[in-house]
Amino acid sequence: MHDVRAVSTPSMPRLAVASLAGTAIEFYDFFVYGTAAALVLGPLFFPTFSPVVGVLAAFGTFGVGFVARPLGSVLFGHLGDRRGRRPVLVMSLLLTGASTVAVGCLPSYGTIGVAAPVLLLVLRFVQGLGLGGEWGGAVLLTAEHAPAGRRALWSSFPQVGPAVGFVLANGVMLALSAALSDSEFARWGWRVPFWAAGAPAVAGLWLRSSLVESPSFLEIDDHARVPLVEVVRRHGRLVLLTAGALAVGYAVFYAVTTWSLAYATERLGVSRTIMLTCVMAAVIVKGALTPLMALLGDRYGRRTMCLAGCSACVLWMLPLVALLATGEPLLMFLGILGALIAFVTMFAVVAAYLPELYEARVRCTGAAVGYNLGGVLGGALTPVVATALAEHGGRVPWGVGIYLTCIALLSLGCFALLPETRPVPAPAAEPATG
């Protein structure tokens, strides 16, 4: 057995900040690709296709990152359940950072021909592998250190990381889009956000090198020999339910942050700068609301918050596409904001919910695989399907709204089948009578 006494317990604020910083860096890497796919990668890497098919092909490489994420969760989940949560944080960040910088150095189709999209696909796959391991390590290290009564709150800080990463990625894209001409942006400007990923990745590695191992991991006497096999045998139904439950969050988030960029700029003629500003403003609000929703999860329960957020998604998807189709910035912003508030009502508590559903010896694998399979179901295909549906629809892409509503209904059913996990406070001792 590991000697738990040999490891000091870090302060929760310091651990939460370190986890948030790491997830922000890794999701910056992941999101900057999604934004580039929506705005510029199609013509550069798939120039022989029509504009719409080029965007579909670029989103196809975007989806490869989601397919890789469950594989990354298996690879790094095995490491996390066998060797500890801390090594996962370092290795996943290194992998994602290196592949992101490499995308920025990749020659286009016009320079090296068909090798360009092939290499783009490979690097996106590697990027997805790293991100698939990131979530499990960062969330578990925080959740397993946190006091039970505030586990959702402290675990929500890694969940703020995606919002920070998205704002940074799109902020850089927005600045470049405003400062450069379209030809300059297409020639070299789009590469800058990928190159910029190197410095924060190095800083994140330094920050994470000082973290201590999770006490829950150190208390495990008998580690699973092959965690994935044990998860499939003993928790297979739970993995499928969590994947189905989380699919709506991915579908909604990537519909409003990736597909909507391409739809608004290509179909409606909205300027790239205005659309990026609308999405970024809504994501900032979403990030700010994350700890508040987590506090509600500590008070009212994880499942309760997930059911509420999922129900809101069911009701909001058709109004969302109607508001986007107006092309009016304020109305588009309100549509996106409503969708992200519904999203964060669920995902603010997921970082506490999933680890509580699995036993400690296979927690890193089980929670991460369920989380990232949800990404495949909801995130990988959503930009592609939504683009195709919008292309063959009228001014208002009702097909996209119906597609998202159906995913929300599927997730609602899965959440209904999951148990509540919020720790119940022990009853206060009755005063002694004399």
Side-chain angles (χ1 to χ4, degrees):
M1 180 177 176
H2 300 273
D3 184 4
V4 180
R5 295 170 299 175
V7 180
S8 60
T9 301
S11 70
M12 285 310 303
R14 179 170 172 268
L15 182 59
V17 168
S19 296
L20 187 158
T23 54
I25 293 166
E26 293 222 30
F27 276 91
Y28 166 89
D29 295 350
F30 202 73
F31 289 143
V32 79
Y33 185 98
T35 304
L39 298 179
V40 75
L41 293 187
L44 290 175
F45 289 88
F46 306 96
T48 59
F49 297 157
S50 69
V52 172
V53 176
V55 171
L56 285 171
F59 280 152
T61 60
F62 177 77
V64 166
F66 283 99
V67 174
R69 283 173 66 168
L71 299 178
S73 67
V74 171
L75 174 66
F76 287 103
H78 184 92
L79 176 66
D81 285 325
R82 294 285 298 168
R83 303 298 179 189
R85 319 318 191 195
R86 183 175 171 272
V88 172
L89 296 181
V90 175
M91 294 183 65
S92 62
L93 183 57
L94 180 63
L95 194 62
T96 308
S99 59
T100 302
V101 173
V103 170
C105 300
L106 194 61
S108 66
Y109 186 96
T111 303
I112 60 173
V114 73
V118 171
L119 290 173
L120 184 67
L121 196 71
V122 171
L123 291 174
R124 180 60 174 175
F125 184 84
V126 174
Q127 198 182 49
L129 283 178
L131 192 60
E134 162 64 26
W135 186 87
V139 163
L140 288 191
L141 201 63
T142 307
E144 291 180 342
H145 275 104
R150 284 290 180 264
R151 187 174 294 136
L153 173 62
W154 290 114
S155 300
S156 72
F157 282 86
Q159 294 295 81
V160 177
V164 175
F166 181 86
V167 171
L168 290 175
N170 285 273
V172 174
M173 284 288 191
L174 180 62
L176 290 168
S177 178
L180 302 176
S181 67
D182 287 345
S183 61
E184 289 173 328
F185 185 80
R187 275 203 320 273
W188 59 268
W190 69 272
R191 298 181 183 275
V192 174
F194 291 92
W195 294 336
V202 172
L205 289 171
W206 173 80
L207 183 63
R208 288 184 164 186
S209 65
S210 63
L211 297 179
V212 299
E213 188 51 79
S214 155
S216 294
F217 175 79
L218 294 173
E219 291 169 0
I220 299 172
D221 290 315
D222 182 23
H223 295 281
R225 294 188 62 185
V226 186
L228 179 63
V229 172
E230 189 167 324
V231 166
V232 171
R233 287 178 177 173
R234 300 180 58 184
H235 307 288
R237 178 178 179 272
L238 181 58
V239 169
L240 293 177
L241 283 177
T242 53
L246 300 180
V248 63
Y250 285 99
V252 169
F253 189 83
Y254 287 101
V256 300
T257 61
T258 300
W259 166 74
S260 69
L261 288 176
Y263 169 72
T265 55
E266 296 291 334
R267 288 290 304 278
L268 304 181
V270 178
S271 81
R272 191 163 52 209
T273 301
I274 288 176
M275 196 59 199
L276 285 172
T277 302
C278 288
V279 175
M280 284 175 58
V283 171
I284 289 171
V285 176
K286 170 251 178 190
L289 288 176
T290 300
L292 173 61
M293 295 300 183
L295 276 173
L296 294 176
D298 276 325
R299 181 167 183 178
Y300 298 109
R302 289 67 157 120
R303 180 174 176 269
T304 300
M305 296 297 291
C306 289
L307 288 172
C310 199
S311 298
C313 288
V314 172
L315 298 174
W316 190 248
M317 294 302 97
L318 291 176
L320 166 66
V321 296
L323 290 169
L324 287 176
T326 65
E328 294 293 330
L330 179 58
L331 295 179
M332 298 177 82
F333 166 74
L334 291 176
I336 293 169
L337 180 62
L340 290 184
I341 289 175
F343 163 86
V344 78
T345 303
M346 295 178 285
F347 270 56
V349 301
V350 161
Y353 196 15
L354 263 64
E356 290 169 348
L357 287 168
Y358 294 89
E359 57 183 313
R361 69 197 305 269
V362 294
R363 185 174 290 155
C364 195
T365 299
V369 169
Y371 185 85
N372 287 295
L373 276 178
V376 175
L377 295 175
L381 294 178
T382 291
V384 176
V385 173
T387 299
L389 290 173
E391 178 66 17
H392 294 92
R395 166 93 182 170
V396 180
W398 295 117
V400 177
I402 293 170
Y403 170 75
L404 294 173
T405 302
C406 289
I407 295 179
L409 287 170
L410 168 67
S411 294
L412 187 62
C414 291
F415 274 127
L417 294 173
L418 289 172
E420 179 58 75
T421 62
R422 179 174 64 97
V424 178
E430 295 184 5
T433 57

